[in-house]
């Protein structure tokens, strides 16, 4: 009997170690799920398409430039890990502003390269610096909007560049804690290479922020957004959108009311 128990334990240990190794080796494929650009949007918005060269990588995106000012900020959008950002174009008319920048992460859509945390963060800083400089846009008239994984990118940019506002949709304090919520038996704190540790940056960010969470989020627990809120140094407006999930939060009027109230607010620090 004891021998059988020991043999069973050995098998379980081998399975556990094997699963741990697989999670470590394939974590990039689990975190980053590049999506192609919807063909109809590719053709319809050709006039807004931009291509920027960052080192040996070409990044593609779309720039909608209209009036930009204190009451009409430029929204710079950072998408989720499995998001085709052009699918947001159908909702542009729901924003109480008319200027937007959407960029494909490297490896997504028509952008070259392979996605990784350091690369995405470096690209994001390069892109915003390029746009603000070439277009002569006041950073105070820019609102960063990051969704899910994109919240980690938006927080990084807000920590490195002074902007007018930040909107975080279904955000997390760190990707490590998201992984722990889904894989509690694995040592993800030691394994994870792409950490997106927003909570480590938040205490130095004084930019006013809007936090939008879904009441029934099964992907990013709401408590992780609340943890990030508690360490954010600037003013925080927090809205939990009732009756929505991680991927349906934008279907509620509550979501759009909160976004537009924030865009029209006096965000001066």
């Amino acid at each position: 009997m004891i021998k059988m128990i020991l043999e069973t334990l050995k098998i379980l240990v081998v399975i556990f170690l094997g699963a741990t190794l697989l999670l470590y080796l394939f974590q990039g494929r689990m975190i980053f799920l590049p999506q192609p650009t919807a063909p109809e949007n590719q053709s319809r918005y050709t006039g807004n398409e931009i291509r920027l060269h960052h080192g040996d990588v070409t990044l593609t995106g779309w720039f909608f430039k209209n009036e930009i000012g204190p009451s009409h900020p430029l929204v710079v959008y950072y998408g989720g890990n499995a998001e085709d950002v052009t699918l947001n174009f159908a909702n542009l008319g729901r924003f109480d502003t008319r200027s937007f920048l959407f960029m494909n992460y490297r490896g997504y859509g028509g952008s070259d390269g392979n996605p990784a945390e350091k690369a995405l963060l470096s690209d994001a800083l390069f892109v915003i610096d390029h746009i603000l400089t070439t277009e002569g846009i006041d950073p105070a008239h820019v609102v960063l909007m990051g969704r899910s994984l994109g919240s980690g990118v938006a927080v990084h940019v807000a920590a490195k560049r002074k902007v007018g506002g930040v909107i975080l949709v279904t955000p997390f304090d760190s990707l490590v804690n998201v992984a722990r919520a889904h894989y509690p038996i694995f040592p993800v704190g030691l394994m994870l290479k792409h950490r997106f540790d927003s909570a480590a940056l938040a205490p130095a960010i004084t930019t006013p922020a809007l936090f939008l969470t879904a009441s029934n989020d099964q992907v990013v627990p709401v408590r992780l957004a609340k943890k990030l809120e508690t360490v954010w140094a600037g003013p925080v407006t927090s809205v939990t959108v009732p009756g929505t999930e991680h991927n349906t939060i934008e279907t509620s009027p509550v979501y759009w009311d909160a976004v537009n109230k924030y865009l029209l607010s006096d965000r001066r620090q």
Side-chain angles (χ1 to χ4, degrees), residues 61-257:
W62 293 264
F63 185 34
F64 300 83
K65 184 181 180 183
N66 294 293
E67 178 186 356
I68 298 176
S71 59
H72 296 89
L74 167 67
V75 173
V76 180
Y77 184 84
Y78 305 100
N81 72 321
E83 183 176 355
D84 169 13
V85 294
T86 70
L87 298 183
N88 292 281
F89 295 173
N91 286 324
L92 294 187
R94 303 184 74 172
F95 286 91
D96 281 339
T97 193
R98 293 294 175 264
S99 295
F100 307 90
L101 175 64
F102 295 87
M103 294 297 296
N104 284 318
Y105 300 135
R106 58 174 64 200
Y108 286 63
S111 292
D112 298 334
N114 297 307
E117 179 185 12
K118 289 183 179 179
L120 266 58
L121 300 182
S122 175
D123 289 342
L125 291 176
F126 165 78
V127 169
I128 197 166
D129 288 344
H130 176 87
I131 291 295
L132 298 189
T133 299
T134 57
E135 299 293 334
I137 300 171
D138 186 340
H141 302 156
V142 172
V143 171
L144 309 176
M145 185 174 188
R147 178 167 184 166
S148 193
L149 182 76
S151 71
V153 182
V155 170
H156 180 81
V157 175
K160 302 296 182 180
R161 303 290 186 268
K162 197 72 170 177
V163 294
V166 180
I167 298 175
L168 302 177
V169 183
T170 61
F172 48 78
D173 57 343
S174 75
L175 201 57
V176 172
N177 286 335
V178 177
R180 283 176 176 150
H182 290 278
Y183 305 100
I185 68 171
F186 294 100
V188 293
L190 299 175
M191 297 163 54
L192 201 60
K193 294 184 287 187
H194 313 281
R195 306 178 77 84
F196 290 96
D197 192 353
S198 296
L201 301 173
I205 304 175
T206 58
T207 305
L210 169 64
F211 281 69
L212 290 165
T213 55
S215 62
N216 302 318
D217 198 324
Q218 300 298 312
V219 178
V220 178
V222 174
R223 61 183 171 79
L224 301 186
K226 299 302 180 183
K227 286 184 178 180
L228 183 59
E229 288 179 26
T230 61
V231 294
W232 193 272
V236 169
T237 301
S238 180
V239 176
T240 298
V241 182
T244 62
E245 299 178 358
H246 189 79
N247 294 318
T248 63
I249 187 172
E250 77 286 353
T251 62
S252 171
V254 174
Y255 172 91
W256 291 105
D257 288 346

Side-chain angles (χ1 to χ4, degrees), residues 15-31 179 182-188 191-194:
I15 293 173
F16 176 79
L17 292 176
T20 301
L21 179 61
L22 289 174
L23 283 173
Y24 177 77
L25 293 176
F26 293 99
Q27 61 180 278
R29 296 185 185 183
M30 298 173 67
I31 296 170
H182 290 278
Y183 305 100
I185 68 171
F186 294 100
V188 293
M191 297 163 54
L192 201 60
K193 294 184 287 187
H194 313 281

